[in-house]
Amino acid sequence: METLNQKWQIVSEIELIYKSKIKTSERPQIKSSKDAYLLLKSSWDQGKIDYFEQFKILFLNNSFKVLGLYEMSSGGITGTIVDLRMIFSAALKANATNIMITHNHPSGNTNPSEADKHMTAKIRQAGELLDIKLLDHLIITSETYYSFADEGAL
C-alpha cells in the first residue's frame, strides 16, 4: 500500500514561466484605445470577426507595452464564455500589471449589452484585488469599436 509520502511524489508539477519571442524594445506600446483597436483588428481572423464572438485579452506592463495577446474563448453568434480565473491566471503568468479586454460583436452593433457591462465591472473588481488594472474593454467590429474607457463606462 502506498504511503502519503509516495503519493505526494506523483502529484503534478506546476511551473511558472513566461517566454517572450520579442525584445522589450520592440514590443508595441498602447497609448490609446485606437492603438489597441488597430493592433487587435490586425490580429483578428477577418473571416471570424463578423461571424461569431471571440474574447481576447491584451497583457501589458507598466509602460503599456504589450506582453502578449491571449484568445480566451470563442462562442456563438451572440455570446462567448468569460472565466475570471482564466483571465487572471494568464495575466499573472505573463507578469502583466495592466490588461485590456476585448470581444467582437458580429452584428456590427458596438453598444455594450447589460451582460457586457456586468462582466466588465466584475473583471475590474477582480483586477483591483490583484493589483492588475483593467485599462479598457473594447467591443470591436470589422469597421469600428466601442471603448468603455473613452465613454466613461469603466
Side-chain angles (χ1 to χ4, degrees):
M1 184 170 168
E2 291 183 357
T3 67
L4 183 59
N5 236 5
Q6 290 170 322
K7 286 183 180 180
W8 173 249
Q9 294 172 357
I10 60 170
V11 170
S12 299
E13 179 181 348
I14 298 170
E15 184 177 4
L16 298 177
I17 58 171
Y18 170 74
K19 294 180 182 179
S20 179
K21 296 179 181 178
I22 187 167
K23 294 177 186 175
T24 303
S25 61
E26 296 173 355
R27 291 181 182 148
Q29 185 175 36
I30 303 297
K31 297 179 181 177
S32 68
S33 60
K34 185 174 182 179
D35 289 346
Y37 171 68
L38 293 173
L39 178 70
L40 290 161
K41 187 178 172 199
S42 71
S43 70
W44 219 282
D45 181 335
Q46 294 305 302
K48 296 177 182 175
I49 197 166
D50 293 326
Y51 190 58
F52 59 86
E53 278 199 21
Q54 293 181 292
F55 186 90
K56 300 182 181 189
I57 309 150
L58 271 177
F59 300 111
L60 301 108
N61 66 15
N62 273 336
S63 300
F64 308 111
K65 292 217 174 181
V66 177
L67 299 169
L69 174 64
Y70 175 50
E71 183 178 316
M72 194 180 97
S73 65
S74 293
I77 296 168
T78 59
T80 190
I81 302 296
V82 177
D83 188 325
L84 289 174
R85 294 164 294 199
M86 294 296 294
I87 292 171
F88 289 102
S89 66
L92 290 166
K93 188 170 186 177
N95 227 14
T97 55
N98 298 288
I99 61 172
M100 296 180 89
I101 58 173
T102 186
H103 75 284
N104 62 312
H105 276 181
S107 67
N109 177 359
T110 58
N111 293 327
S113 66
E114 288 304 313
D116 293 338
K117 293 174 188 176
H118 178 72
M119 175 201 37
T120 303
K122 279 180 66 173
I123 293 169
R124 184 184 51 75
Q125 290 168 354
E128 286 174 359
L129 292 172
L130 298 169
D131 288 328
I132 298 173
K133 184 173 183 173
L134 175 61
L135 298 174
D136 206 346
H137 177 179
L138 299 178
I139 298 173
I140 73 169
T141 69
S142 57
E143 297 177 11
T144 191
Y145 69 98
Y146 172 93
S147 163
F148 276 72
D150 292 353
E151 299 299 324
L154 196 60

